[in-house]
Amino acid sequence: MAKHDTPLLDELEKGPWPSFVTDIKRQAEKNPDCWDILGQVELSYKDKITHWKHGGIVGVFGYGGGIVGRYSDVPAQFPGVEHFHTVRVNQPASKYYSTENLRALMALWDKHGSGMTNMHGSTGDIILLGCRTEALEPFFYDLTHEMGQDLGGSGSNLRTPANCLGQSRCEWACYDTEEACHHLTMHYQDEIHRPAFPYKFKFKFSGCANDCVAALARSDFAVIGTWRDNIRIDQAAVKEYIAGNIASNGGAHSGKDWGAFDIQKEVINLCPTECMWMEGDELKIDDSECTRCMHCINVMPRALRPGAEQGASICMGAKAPILDGAQFATLIIPFIKVSADNEFENVIEIIENVWDWWMEVGKNRERVGETMQRVGLPTFIKVMGLDPIPQHVKEPRSNPYVFWDEEEVEGGFERDVDEFRARHAA
């Protein structure tokens, strides 16, 4: 393939930031097809339209998902990208790799594809960019038979489940995210590979409310680690933080000296439900008002820990902008035990209740959150067989009503009228 003049793309190599243009040029020295990627993108910038055309379903035998078809609408001009399909490979749990595995995967992609990658997609997949139709089956065979890895999801199916590091490296994880993700990935192989839903459906597993895989914002079914009892407090460590003997935020201050630690300013005043206060030199917490946001624990990790009775909250319906714009997940089940001891049967039961309902009432290309929004949360809660609870209310601590004691009512209206008239008469 010949190099193309790319004056518009060349502008993206200027400045201090890494450039995808530079990366593609480097890969084009190994695989000349990549010059045609640059040429077609340059043409798209010039014409202000994409030159990837619609139409053309492509995949591997027996799978309905995992391959995203890409065809150029100017193949005579850029034959190297006449076919440039995207392959989604199911990532390992928590994205743990060995260098041996990564090298083998890249060698396989150099053999069958363009060598271009995107590590990772927003759901988590290893994204391999650029494969011709005739090379898909050989690549798939080598991937599954030689490396023991599988394709991820694409289309109207269960997308590749993803999870945070969980208990493998994080002290805040309230359940085993890796085991949960692996078990459900294996349990739902058919739903991942054979699209049958109104639209895509994503699982994400976060071990705590820090939510390192953005489950609350990006997944239809978020399992967020939490605890049911009280935050554990080490009062001696609280005193050490206040005295400045332990650095707050684990010592992570981005190289800037923020001054002496102020527990009132940095912890108590920032509690979203105002459930914390000091009594003398002791920190007090009204755990009945705590929403488990993790802020205080993040600031003082040696003084505060999650409670001992641990599990997860189930939140549903998050998505990026598609039909009705971006939306966060809605809390559906405040606390549930999440354990491999029962093979996650209680979580699976909830998932399948949602699917049965959504597949019946969901519209084409409507995420489950949009279906929930359309029918209303009360209807969804009823369908799920749940009793309404205060946590289902959007703003449980804001109340539009005025309440009064019974004794205040007796004669109160007449007194108020008399006082009003007296003030205005004066």
Side-chain angles (χ1 to χ4, degrees):
M1 303 295 169
K3 295 182 181 181
H4 303 278
D5 291 330
T6 55
L8 296 176
L9 286 180
D10 293 345
E11 289 294 314
L12 299 179
E13 295 188 275
K14 300 175 182 178
W17 306 108
S19 170
F20 76 92
V21 177
T22 303
D23 289 343
I24 295 177
K25 286 180 178 178
R26 185 168 61 244
Q27 182 60 21
E29 298 295 338
K30 293 175 59 178
N31 186 332
D33 285 352
C34 294
W35 292 121
D36 279 355
I37 275 286
L38 293 168
Q40 179 162 306
V41 174
E42 178 77 17
L43 183 62
S44 294
Y45 280 23
K46 180 181 176 182
D47 294 345
K48 296 183 173 59
I49 60 169
T50 181
H51 284 286
W52 297 114
K53 67 180 180 180
H54 292 286
I57 295 174
V58 65
V60 295
F61 183 72
Y63 278 32
I67 310 294
V68 182
R70 294 282 185 267
Y71 297 92
S72 172
D73 70 358
V74 282
Q77 194 171 348
F78 304 109
V81 293
E82 178 184 8
H83 308 174
F84 209 76
H85 309 310
T86 293
V87 180
R88 292 178 174 171
V89 176
N90 197 322
Q91 79 281 356
S94 303
K95 303 184 179 73
Y96 279 125
Y97 299 95
S98 66
T99 54
E100 179 185 14
N101 173 258
L102 279 174
R103 290 181 187 279
L105 187 61
M106 294 305 102
L108 198 61
W109 191 233
D110 280 336
K111 176 182 176 182
H112 295 291
S114 71
M116 288 174 51
T117 66
N118 175 359
M119 305 284 277
H120 288 267
S122 59
T123 297
D125 294 296
I126 304 162
I127 304 296
L128 305 179
L129 300 163
C131 188
R132 292 190 63 83
T133 302
E134 60 270 19
L136 289 172
E137 287 290 354
F139 169 79
F140 178 60
Y141 184 90
D142 288 348
L143 178 74
T144 54
H145 288 72
E146 292 187 10
M147 294 194 62
Q149 289 185 240
D150 200 359
L151 298 185
S154 70
S156 297
N157 61 0
L158 174 62
R159 297 299 178 85
T160 313
N163 64 284
C164 70
L165 294 171
Q167 294 173 339
S168 67
R169 292 195 66 184
C170 180
E171 59 186 319
W172 305 141
C174 294
Y175 71 98
D176 190 342
T177 60
E178 294 180 305
E179 183 61 33
C181 185
H182 175 74
H183 184 91
L184 268 72
T185 299
M186 302 308 294
H187 185 78
Y188 286 123
Q189 285 292 293
D190 196 60
E191 286 77 9
I192 292 173
H193 297 309
R194 295 167 184 86
F197 296 155
Y199 199 27
K200 67 181 80 168
F201 194 96
K202 295 180 181 180
F203 294 151
K204 284 182 182 284
F205 301 90
S206 285
C208 76
N210 284 322
D211 195 11
C212 292
V213 290
L216 198 63
R218 300 301 300 273
S219 68
D220 302 271
F221 192 92
V223 185
I224 311 290
T226 191
W227 60 95
R228 185 154 52 183
D229 52 347
N230 296 340
I231 293 176
R232 290 174 280 179
I233 308 175
D234 182 339
Q235 296 291 354
V238 171
K239 294 181 179 68
E240 291 295 300
Y241 276 104
I242 294 172
N245 297 328
I246 303 176
S248 61
N249 296 290
H253 291 291
S254 304
K256 183 175 180 179
D257 182 6
W258 294 93
F261 174 65
D262 184 338
I263 192 171
Q264 188 70 39
K265 178 181 177 182
E266 298 180 45
V267 178
I268 295 172
N269 290 352
L270 295 179
C271 175
T273 61
E274 302 178 352
C275 73
M276 311 180 75
W277 68 96
M278 295 295 295
E279 286 188 9
D281 58 359
E282 286 200 345
L283 178 66
K284 300 293 184 180
I285 301 175
D286 179 1
D287 286 273
S288 66
E289 287 291 302
C290 174
T291 56
R292 281 72 170 157
C293 75
M294 294 292 294
H295 172 71
C296 61
I297 296 174
N298 292 333
V299 176
M300 301 193 299
R302 290 171 64 176
L304 302 173
R305 299 187 64 80
E309 189 179 357
Q310 299 182 345
S313 296
I314 304 294
C315 302
M316 299 186 203
K319 66 179 189 65
I322 302 290
L323 295 181
D324 293 329
Q327 63 189 49
F328 269 155
T330 298
L331 179 65
I332 301 300
I333 299 175
F335 186 86
I336 186 173
K337 288 286 188 180
V338 181
S339 172
D341 294 343
N342 64 355
E343 296 186 326
F344 306 99
E345 288 180 1
N346 53 345
V347 178
I348 288 170
E349 181 181 2
I350 298 166
I351 290 167
E352 296 189 357
N353 282 345
V354 175
W355 282 351
D356 288 345
W357 170 77
W358 179 50
M359 291 172 72
E360 181 177 346
V361 305
K363 297 180 180 179
N364 188 40
R365 293 184 68 83
E366 183 177 63
R367 297 284 287 271
V368 70
E370 290 162 329
T371 308
M372 291 166 59
Q373 196 174 46
R374 175 166 55 84
V375 304
L377 187 60
T379 299
F380 179 73
I381 295 298
K382 186 175 181 180
V383 166
M384 292 296 294
L386 300 172
D387 294 325
I389 53 176
Q391 288 89 338
H392 291 150
V393 180
K394 187 176 182 181
E395 297 181 34
R397 289 167 181 78
S398 300
N399 197 316
Y401 300 102
V402 178
F403 293 92
W404 51 83
D405 294 328
E406 188 173 338
E407 58 268 24
E408 294 179 80
V409 178
E410 295 299 327
F413 179 72
E414 289 79 7
R415 284 197 307 272
D416 290 343
V417 170
D418 291 340
E419 289 175 6
F420 177 85
R421 287 174 174 166
R423 276 199 310 273
H424 284 269

